[in-house]
């Protein structure tokens, strides 16, 4: 039983008890959402696990459950069409939206290891949310099962260390599984929205729910259909805009054989009881083929209120909602202990739990040079290959790089060695072509505040490595990351590469103190580039060790087959032997 008493406290009045239907079994996310909701509202829910979304609606309409809960969308995977479609198919009275952070864990039986897994079971939407992480395990089969609770239960029952399940920490405890990995969703802000509902003619305890009076904290979900004609959708959106109504979601529904018209799922802030909203709906009907209001409910900022005094007030924290905080770096800042990003570059995971070394020449100079370097980097255990093709040189008379020919050679070396690649992109025009050819786009120190370039890489799909400007503060580096993140690209890696100070003995001053500061302030992975940091070959090795000890997630190092002949940054280029020795020394230092 899901119960407020379970969390402790003395009842003051008899607990309000309701049966709540959800899809799945105990240990599923829906179950956890109901559990938390019951605790927060001071009511008792008797859980009724169902085998499908439709079965949840049936249980409520048939009076077997007082309430039902269905997920309708996820921040990473998008609209959960089945959830919306069931709400559209059955006449239900929507009560509240609940937004829940999906903190996925990879679970296995005692003795299982990440390397030993051959199969991972989970809900298909959850598998989609962890696509990048699963992409790093190419030999592991992904098996969709109806629910995360079922995945955890079945893996526990099978007792096979080659099988894993993606589910919540609660499922791990419930089914006696161990955690093999955490923070595995593609983005830490992985929220799912659920809708709590009752039957339209509800009797009994569900009638205790009261809608909020304030229309500003209500939300309405609807489906509307427009003709396939120029401007048809625009006219519908203009109606909402003209009435001052904000559209917080718009997604198109699969057409499946329908021609001549398109249907959209939409969420609009406001309440159908509001006269302004009602007028907008009348006009919307005039300019569309069909409007179907699924219902109005309390937005997650406004928990559905219950008329009766709660039996036990266990925990009256506000519900978990992704309210953007008014801070300078809302997307880059670290939020909580577990909210760390892991950025996948090809099949290499950059972030906590790993130390990734990127090696390669300052600039790609020839096929022989880059292929030999790639092989040496891979043989020494380096995980990624660097190589500049467009070089930001102080003097226009210095070697400027091989441009696209260099990019093609880098790609060839990547195919030959299996290493993912990083290369600098200097202008907006280069972004699209570079993104197609390399795995990680480097923004150089001199371009860290080229805001249009940051916006352009923010709009593309490739991960981005931002090097700290040589006169940039930590705040300015985070602001640069914010430019990329705010355009929708969540895959940002930062790199400390030395700053200009009064010191002239070294090329720059490698600011290793920035590493603990950044680790505290941002969820983004942080690399160190000692090559540009000190600029002198023999001082690079100790700083590599220091960088690992101080908590960097990896290194960016310049390596050349014959440093004396390097066309760029010769003084700081490591030989293959230097690089291999550094890799050996790093083995002795634990990951911080
Ligand atoms: C480089 O990595 O070769 C480079 C030009 O670095 P930075 O932008 O840090 O000077
Ligand atoms: Mn260089």
């Amino acid at each position: 039983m899901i119960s407020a008493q379970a969390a402790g406290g003395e009842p003051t009045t008899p607990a309000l008890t309701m049966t709540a239907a959800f899809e799945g079994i105990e240990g599923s996310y829906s179950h956890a959402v109901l559990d938390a909701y019951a605790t927060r509202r001071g009511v008792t829910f008797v859980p009724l696990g169902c085998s499908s979304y439709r079965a949840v609606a049936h249980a409520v309409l048939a009076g077997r459950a007082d309430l039902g809960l269905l997920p309708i969308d996820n921040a990473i995977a998008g609209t959960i069409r089945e959830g919306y479609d069931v709400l559209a198919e059955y006449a239900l009275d929507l009560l509240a939206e609940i937004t829940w952070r999906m903190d996925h864990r990879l679970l296995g039986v005692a003795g299982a290891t990440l390397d030993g897994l051959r199969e991972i079971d989970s809900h298909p939407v959850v598998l989609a949310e962890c696509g990048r992480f699963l992409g790093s395990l190419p030999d592991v089969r992904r098996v969709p099962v109806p629910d995360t609770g079922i995945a955890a239960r079945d893996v526990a029952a099978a007792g096979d260390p080659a099988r894993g399940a993606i589910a919540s920490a609660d499922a791990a405890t419930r089914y006696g599984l161990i955690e093999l990995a955490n923070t595995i969703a593609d983005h830490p802000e992985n929220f799912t929205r659920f809708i709590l509902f009752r039957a339209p003619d509800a009797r009994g305890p569900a009638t205790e729910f009261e809608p909020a009076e304030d229309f500003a904290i209500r939300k309405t979900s609807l489906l509307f259909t427009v003709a396939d004609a120029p401007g048809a959708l625009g006219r519908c959106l203009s109606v909402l805009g003209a009435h001052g109504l904000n559209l917080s979601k718009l997604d198109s529904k699969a057409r499946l054989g329908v021609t001549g018209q398109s249907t959209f799922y939409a969420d609009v802030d406001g309440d159908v009881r509001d006269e302004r909203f009602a007028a907008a709906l009348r006009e919307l009907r005039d300019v569309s083929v069909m409007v179907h209001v699924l219902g109005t409910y309390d937005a997650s900022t406004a928990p559905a209120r219950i008329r009766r005094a709660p039996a036990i007030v266990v925990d009256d924290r506000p519900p978990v909602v992704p309210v953007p905080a008014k801070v300078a770096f809302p997307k880059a800042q670290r939020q909580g202990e577990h909210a760390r990003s892991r950025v996948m570059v090809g099949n290499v995971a950059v972030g906590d739990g790993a130390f990734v070394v990127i090696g390669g020449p300052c600039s790609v100079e020839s096929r022989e040079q880059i292929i030999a370097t790639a092989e040496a980097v891979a043989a020494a255990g380096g995980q990624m290959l660097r190589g500049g093709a467009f070089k930001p040189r102080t003097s226009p008379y210095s070697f400027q790089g091989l441009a696209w020919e260099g990019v093609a050679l880098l790609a060839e070396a990547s195919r030959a060695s299996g290493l993912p690649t990083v290369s600098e992109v200097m202008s907006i025009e280069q972004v699209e072509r570079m993104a197609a050819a390399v795995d990680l786009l480097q923004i150089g120190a001199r371009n860290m505040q080229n805001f249009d370039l940051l916006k352009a890489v923010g709009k593309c799909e490739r991960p981005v490595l931002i090097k700290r400007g040589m006169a940039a503060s930590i705040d300015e580096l985070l602001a640069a990351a914010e430019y990329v993140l705010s355009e929708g690209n969540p895959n940002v890696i930062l790199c400390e590469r030395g700053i200009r100070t009064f010191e002239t003995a070294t090329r720059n001053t490698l600011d290793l103190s920035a590493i603990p500061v950044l680790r505290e302030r941002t969820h983004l992975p942080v690399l160190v580039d000692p090559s540009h940091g000190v600029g002198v070959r023999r001082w690079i090795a100790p700083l590599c060790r220091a960088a690992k000890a101080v908590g960097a997630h990896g290194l960016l190092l310049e390596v050349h087959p014959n440093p004396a002949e390097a066309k760029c940054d010769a003084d700081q280029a490591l030989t293959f032997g230097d690089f291999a020795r550094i890799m050996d020394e790093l083995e002795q230092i634990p990951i911080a």
Side-chain angles (χ1 to χ4, degrees), residues 348 355-359 373-385 417 419-420 548 555 557 559 576 579-584 586-587:
V348 175
F355 190 77
V356 170
V357 181
I358 306 172
T373 309
E375 282 168 1
V377 167
Q383 289 107 318
M384 229 185 280
L385 179 67
S417 61
L419 298 177
K548 187 170 182 187
L555 296 170
L557 290 172
V559 189
F576 294 169
F579 183 76
R581 258 188 308 281
I582 288 172
M583 292 301 288
D584 280 348
L586 288 170
E587 287 287 312

Side-chain angles (χ1 to χ4, degrees), residues 269-438:
D269 293 349
D271 191 312
V272 286
R273 295 172 298 171
D274 184 356
E275 182 39 42
R276 197 171 47 133
F277 202 112
L281 273 181
R282 283 192 294 275
E283 275 183 47
L284 188 59
R285 289 199 158 95
D286 289 339
V287 295
S288 63
V289 175
M290 184 274 300
V291 179
H292 178 172
V293 176
L294 307 187
T296 296
Y297 45 86
D298 288 353
S300 47
T301 42
R305 287 168 311 155
I306 297 168
R307 217 171 274 146
R308 190 184 314 185
I312 310 160
V313 178
V314 178
D315 173 1
D316 211 24
R317 284 174 300 178
V320 181
V321 284
V323 179
K326 288 230 173 349
V327 292
F329 313 116
K331 295 193 158 40
Q333 78 167 6
R334 190 166 167 209
Q335 288 158 340
E337 198 47 39
H338 295 295
R340 277 208 176 278
S341 283
R342 178 186 283 118
V343 175
M344 293 304 300
V345 182
N347 56 2
V348 175
V350 185
D352 265 14
F355 190 77
V356 170
V357 181
I358 306 172
C362 181
S363 62
V364 179
E365 296 167 7
S366 68
R367 171 178 284 110
E368 296 68 35
Q369 176 239 24
I370 191 67
I371 300 263
T373 309
E375 282 168 1
V377 167
Q383 289 107 318
M384 229 185 280
L385 179 67
R386 60 153 290 150
F390 294 95
K391 294 305 303 177
R393 302 306 300 276
T394 302
S395 164
Y397 308 116
S398 302
F399 175 59
Q400 301 284 308
L402 295 184
W404 295 115
E405 186 194 340
V407 175
L409 292 174
L410 186 68
E412 187 181 332
S414 168
R415 290 192 296 276
S417 61
L419 298 177
T421 53
V422 52
S423 197
E424 177 163 352
V425 56
M426 277 177 52
S427 69
I428 296 172
E429 303 78 65
Q430 292 163 2
V431 170
E432 195 177 340
R433 190 163 163 193
M434 192 68 109
V438 303

Side-chain angles (χ1 to χ4, degrees), residues 239-259:
V239 165
L240 297 175
H243 287 271
L245 297 174
N246 178 52
L247 190 67
S248 58
K249 176 198 175 90
L250 182 66
D251 197 3
S252 62
K253 186 168 157 53
R255 293 164 59 135
L256 297 175
V258 178
T259 51

